[in-house]
């Protein structure tokens, strides 16, 4: 689990500007995705001040601080800049006051900013911190994008996950991660997977070794991350096992507190697993759009049974 994000990394990833000494960012860490807009604090009330959060100044906070005397403004800024305060963030390219910069430098708090409006800036930084501070889990599998659906291939080592991914890439789909997939929860309903940095864009094929998918197939053959919407578990065919033939057996796998649907596909000679995965992706999308082939089959079966019952009843009455 990632416990913090450095302010310097956040500035780099979000193209923020720095108003005071950049060296102040090196040892500053952000540990929560919550952002505070100091409203009541500017009036001098600090009893419940969340100093561990990034403090965001928009037009309202900046305008109010300008209405204060220079001495009062400096005193309030000194209270805002505490040892655990990660940074002061300013929107709309608003120039920070001399008192703010002085107080921040004295307490070694970086002052950073952006040209974005306050609400958009707050949303962008919150989403960034949510993603980077989220609990993570590393799992064995291959993650591919098939028709825009993030599909996680699982199964025992040697079952053919990487080879199946290679065939899918040749058919125009995209690789996200091979062998190890870093999984984290983006929100209450979304699980996202990505490759560890050391394995980014790489695919291992037994007998050949490591190949660089981006180098061989182009930038369109890879993605940096994807939502995991469907899990396909590959397993060796067993004549003794009863596999789902209609689609009524619903299985799932839980990551953190989010359930992801899972299906099992048996592997044996003669089965084209890549095409099966493509069909599974299209079928998943169709269900999301409201069309369920299994339900249609059950409805048709019910109508057939009803027609046969009526026919039998009419035949008995005609005797």
């Amino acid at each position: 689990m990632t416990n913090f994000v450095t302010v310097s990394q956040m500035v780099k990833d979000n193209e923020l500007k720095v108003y005071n000494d950049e060296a102040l960012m090196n040892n500053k860490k952000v540990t929560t995705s919550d952002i505070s807009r100091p409203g009541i604090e500017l009036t001098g009330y600090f009893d419940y001040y969340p100093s561990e959060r990034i403090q965001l100044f928009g037009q309202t906070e900046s305008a109010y601080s300008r209405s204060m005397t220079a001495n009062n403004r400096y005193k309030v800024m000194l209270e805002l800049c505490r040892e655990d305060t990660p940074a002061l963030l300013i929107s709309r390219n608003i120039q920070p006051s001399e008192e703010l910069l002085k107080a921040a430098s004295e307490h070694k708090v970086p002052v950073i900013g952006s040209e974005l409006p306050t609400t958009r800036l707050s949303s962008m930084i919150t989403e960034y911190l949510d993603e980077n501070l989220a609990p993570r889990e590393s799992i064995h599998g291959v993650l591919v994008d098939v028709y825009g659906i993030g599909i996680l291939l699982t199964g025992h080592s040697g079952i053919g996950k990487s080879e199946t991914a290679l065939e899918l890439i040749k058919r125009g789909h995209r690789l996200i991660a091979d062998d190890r997939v870093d999984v984290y929860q983006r929100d209450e309903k979304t699980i996202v997977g990505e490759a560890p940095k050391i394995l980014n864009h790489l695919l291992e094929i037994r007998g050949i070794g490591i190949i660089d998918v981006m180098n061989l197939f182009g930038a369109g053959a890879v993605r940096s991350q994807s939502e995991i919407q469907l899990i396909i578990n590959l397993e060796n065919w067993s004549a003794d096992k009863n596999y789902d033939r209609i689609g009524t057996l619903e299985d799932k796998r839980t990551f953190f507190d989010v359930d992801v649907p899972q299906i099992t596909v048996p592997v044996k000679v003669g089965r084209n697993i890549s095409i099966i995965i493509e069909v599974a992706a299209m079928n998943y999308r169709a269900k999301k759009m409201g069309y369920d082939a299994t339900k249609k089959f059950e409805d048709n079966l019910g109508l057939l049974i009803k027609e046969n019952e009526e026919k039998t009843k009419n035949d008995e009455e005609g005797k």
Side-chain angles (χ1 to χ4, degrees):
M1 176 178 178
T2 303
N3 295 317
F4 64 86
V5 175
T6 62
V7 173
S8 58
Q9 188 63 45
M10 182 180 72
V11 168
K12 179 181 177 181
D13 292 343
N14 295 279
E15 300 181 348
L16 304 176
K17 61 179 65 177
V18 183
Y19 289 105
N20 56 355
D21 189 356
E22 293 190 6
L24 298 177
M25 301 187 301
N26 295 335
N27 297 320
K28 282 293 184 177
K29 301 174 181 178
V30 186
T31 58
T32 176
S33 62
D34 294 328
I35 294 178
S36 178
R37 296 186 64 175
I40 194 171
E41 289 84 3
L42 293 177
T43 67
Y45 185 80
F46 284 90
D47 287 0
Y48 298 98
Y49 172 50
S51 58
E52 76 284 356
R53 302 180 186 178
I54 292 175
Q55 305 299 316
L56 175 58
F57 283 75
Q59 281 186 327
T60 303
E61 294 80 10
S62 299
Y64 183 84
S65 67
R66 286 195 298 268
S67 70
M68 303 164 64
T69 65
N71 186 49
N72 286 341
R73 183 162 53 242
Y74 176 61
K75 288 182 178 179
V76 169
M77 296 308 166
L78 281 176
E79 285 286 345
L80 283 172
C81 299
R82 298 186 179 179
E83 184 179 354
D84 60 343
T85 304
L88 303 182
L89 178 61
I90 304 174
S91 65
R92 295 182 176 273
N93 275 338
I94 298 173
Q95 184 63 33
S97 65
E98 293 182 5
E99 294 78 16
L100 185 151
L101 290 174
K102 181 181 178 182
S105 296
E106 288 181 5
H107 284 237
K108 299 181 179 180
V109 176
V111 181
I112 57 181
S114 169
E115 63 183 11
L116 293 176
T118 311
T119 301
R120 285 180 57 193
L121 179 60
S122 178
S123 298
M124 181 183 75
I125 297 300
T126 299
E127 183 177 341
Y128 171 81
L129 293 174
D130 277 339
E131 178 177 322
N132 285 274
L133 294 173
R136 290 174 180 262
E137 178 182 345
S138 182
I139 61 175
H140 177 64
V142 177
L143 183 57
V144 289
D145 178 303
V146 180
Y147 298 128
I149 305 298
I151 297 180
L152 176 64
L153 305 179
T154 61
H156 294 302
S157 181
I159 195 70
K161 299 184 294 297
S162 297
E163 290 79 2
T164 300
L166 180 60
E167 175 66 23
L168 289 168
I169 292 166
K170 290 187 64 179
R171 294 173 68 88
H173 306 293
R174 293 184 285 181
L175 173 74
I176 293 97
D178 176 55
D179 190 49
R180 304 301 304 179
V181 182
D182 287 344
V183 176
Y184 68 90
Q185 182 177 349
R186 174 178 289 169
D187 54 43
E188 291 78 6
K189 297 181 179 180
T190 308
I191 294 295
V192 175
E194 61 185 9
K197 289 184 179 180
I198 193 174
L199 299 176
N200 208 20
H201 304 158
L202 301 180
L203 188 67
E204 178 190 354
I205 302 297
R206 285 177 173 81
I208 297 178
I210 304 295
I211 65 172
D212 188 327
V213 172
M214 185 170 179
N215 184 50
L216 292 181
F217 297 94
V222 296
R223 281 189 66 179
S224 59
Q225 61 176 219
S226 172
E227 177 184 351
I228 299 177
Q229 297 163 280
L230 179 65
I231 300 172
I232 296 182
N233 183 49
L234 304 179
E235 66 173 42
N236 288 315
W237 179 284
S238 173
D240 299 329
K241 187 169 181 178
N242 183 27
Y243 296 102
D244 188 8
R245 300 179 62 182
I246 300 178
T248 56
L249 300 178
E250 295 184 357
D251 197 5
K252 62 185 178 181
R253 179 171 175 177
T254 302
F255 295 103
F256 308 108
D257 57 352
V258 179
D259 293 333
V260 180
Q262 175 175 283
I263 61 177
T264 296
V265 173
V267 177
K268 73 173 183 177
V269 177
R271 299 199 88 199
N272 192 320
I273 303 301
S274 299
I275 291 179
I276 293 174
I277 291 173
E278 286 182 331
V279 172
M282 290 187 287
N283 190 53
Y284 174 85
R285 175 179 285 180
K287 286 183 178 180
K288 285 295 183 181
M289 297 174 65
Y291 180 83
D292 190 338
T294 300
K295 185 176 185 304
K296 182 176 178 61
F297 171 77
E298 292 175 344
D299 291 342
N300 290 342
L301 181 61
L303 288 174
L304 180 61
I305 293 173
K306 185 177 180 180
E307 289 174 359
N308 288 337
E309 289 177 346
E310 290 178 353
K311 182 179 179 180
T312 300
K313 181 179 180 182
N314 291 335
D315 291 343
E316 291 178 350
E317 290 177 353
K319 290 181 178 179

